[in-house]
Amino acid sequence: MDYSLVTEVYERIEGTTKRLEMTDYLVEFFRRTPKEIIDKVVYLTQGKLYPDFMGIEMGVAEKLAIKAVAKASGRRESEIEEDLARTGDLGETAQKFLEKKKQLSFFKKPLTVERVYQTLDKIARVSGEGSIDLKVNLLAGLLADASPKDAKYIIRTVTGKLRLGIADMTVLDALAIAYGGGKGAREIIERAYNISSDLGKVAKAVAEGGIEAVKNFRISLGNPIRPMLAERLSSPAEILEKLGGKCIAEYKYDGERIQAHKSGDNVILFSRRLENITSQYPDAVELIRNHIKAREAIIEAECVAVNLDTGEMMPFQELMHRRRKYDIEKAASEYPVSLFAFDALYVDGRDLTLEPYPVRHEILEKIIEQNDRFQLAKYMIVDNTEDLERFFEEAVEAGCEGLVCKSLGGDAIYQAGARGWLWIKYKRDYKSEMTDTVDLVVVGAFHGRGKRAGTYGALLLAAYNHENDTFETICKCGSGFTDEDLQNLPKMLEPYRIGHRHPRVNSNLEANVWFLPKMVIEVIGAEITLSPIHTCARDLIRKGSGLAIRFPRFTGRYRTDKSAEDATRVDEIVEMYKRQLKKIEAE
Ligand code: ATP
């Protein structure tokens, strides 16, 4: 097929803003395209060579493209650059210079789509020494044989500036009309796309085999499934009403969503945007490889950095280290990720996406060999607003964003690629910062694991209630301690150790070790939040809830100058909480 047919449709599409017109142009164009190359043509209309998840980019920097244009047009690079400064579009500049040249040269045989595709593919793949020159030569060769107009679009394509604005859904519509017998086929074609994320593959199937071939489209390992997304509501009552009075509420972990594809020992991880991020999470790959009992599986999980010694979840930012190639190993050893799995989409040849969630959840539970680092997302089946609210507070305090509440209905399929009401997120719509430090009393401790074996993993801290002369727990704190602190803590606390909870300490948590309320330490946190667990200011703000500090961290100051009764008081914490709310309302 002549590449000029492609540029012709690009021009027509650029000339319209109406989606329906755009669709018509594409339909006509797809019908003229030989079926063997329909996939490639579809990628090209999107300015690509492959579906995104394959991660193959054209990789031509503007500088390199300028060299190629100079070479093909017989001009100096500086001339090209000057003109580019005027037009702001290297495609246009290329067209202009090649027009001038072509008037002087002989007619050449037209460029084919196949040749353009193959050459661009080569350009994308060459690497290593001498690759820049090779890319320039390949591109210049193509431009030399191209018509000026073709050259414009080739340049825009390789530099990533072909912005035709054709949405995936427009391509699907056009395919349905061109090959599927009409718009009615769109739903079936769309499903094929949603389970494969590959427009070219879908186009080929429908062009070659008609709608029947698309009906038989199957999930395949290595092709990411477009993620199901949640709607949002802001009250437990609305959520329960929407989900028929009962739902499964799950912690909404604040990490990175991954879709893991496992085939034997081979594991691929895709991000929420369907990029291949396998290399960023060698630790997650290991977990999937070793602890999924099925031979083949596609599951979804949230990847969270957890401090293994204390079990505390780290804020989302911790995962950012994984973006830089050289930090991955270090990050993976310092804060390996834990996985919280929340869906199973495919297991040993069985497509689960059309099964209701309770079925998928049960299968998920069966195939995962759970351990400290690989668990199901914490969940609770709820049918009343109190439980839902309480579970929400628990999730936030544990470092999560809130809850995702999911339908238990028979129709609760996995809606690939859609944001729907089968999943409803319940998040707080504010984030606030705790600016002041607080001085808290050490009333208990929990044994450490891993590097912290033999010392404490976390301390149980309390504020002072001066009206009742009691100590009310407000957080478990395991962060901010240096190795030296950790080594010294058991010794420092030994004099206060007792065999049971002190009668002046109010706690719902069972610590491993209890202390006389004596030692005071300075702590800062992310914010003060409602808590179903801690006893600080219990029932004062909301019935059944206390207050807690989220992401607490020891500042390094032991307040030996303070007695336990001088510690931050419960009423001060309540004030801090209220100020925080006021600040949010004012914003
Ligand atoms: P957000 O910024 O709120 O994460 P989003 O558009 O990325 O929004 P939503 O569909 O609105 O995604 O919210 C669901 C997201 O929450 C998922 O993409 C996933 O990353 C995350 N998540 C954490 N825990 C769960 C869980 N138990 N079930 C489903 N999703 C979860």
Side-chain angles (χ1 to χ4, degrees), residues 227-232 250-258 272 301-302 340-342 357 377-378 401 404 406 419 423 425 427:
M228 173 168 181
L229 299 169
E231 284 288 350
R232 171 202 285 252
E250 294 180 358
Y251 275 18
K252 185 176 192 305
Y253 295 90
D254 191 10
E256 174 156 17
R257 180 178 191 157
I258 57 159
R272 179 187 183 293
E302 197 80 357
F340 298 96
F342 58 80
Y357 188 53
K378 192 160 179 195
E401 282 186 301
V404 185
K406 301 180 178 179
R419 193 180 285 284
W423 285 8
K425 60 182 165 183
K427 292 206 286 195

Side-chain angles (χ1 to χ4, degrees), residues 538-580:
R538 194 154 189 96
D539 296 333
L540 270 179
I541 308 276
R542 182 187 290 149
K543 203 163 165 4
S545 301
L547 291 176
I549 294 175
R550 195 164 175 248
F551 295 130
R553 184 164 43 80
F554 175 47
T555 63
R557 287 183 71 189
Y558 295 95
R559 299 302 308 256
T560 44
D561 54 328
K562 287 196 167 182
S563 72
E565 290 75 15
D566 295 326
T568 302
R569 293 192 326 229
V570 169
D571 57 340
E572 290 176 87
I573 301 278
V574 170
E575 272 315 301
M576 285 170 82
Y577 177 74
K578 285 185 178 159
R579 265 207 306 277
Q580 215 178 250

Side-chain angles (χ1 to χ4, degrees), residues 422-440:
L422 293 173
W423 285 8
I424 303 175
K425 60 182 165 183
Y426 179 30
K427 292 206 286 195
R428 270 178 327 170
D429 28 21
Y430 60 83
K431 273 240 155 35
S432 61
E433 270 179 29
M434 187 171 163
T435 43
D436 294 343
T437 57
V438 286
D439 299 318
L440 302 173

Side-chain angles (χ1 to χ4, degrees), residues 16 36 46 51 97 127 136 145 181 215 252-253 290 315 318 323 372 419 424 448 453 474 542 545 562:
T16 181
E36 315 82 70
Q46 307 255 304
F97 283 98
S127 63
V136 172
D145 291 343
K215 277 189 193 150
K252 185 176 192 305
Y253 295 90
N290 299 333
E318 191 53 50
R323 295 277 179 273
D372 276 0
R419 193 180 285 284
I424 303 175
I474 188 166
R542 182 187 290 149
S545 301
K562 287 196 167 182

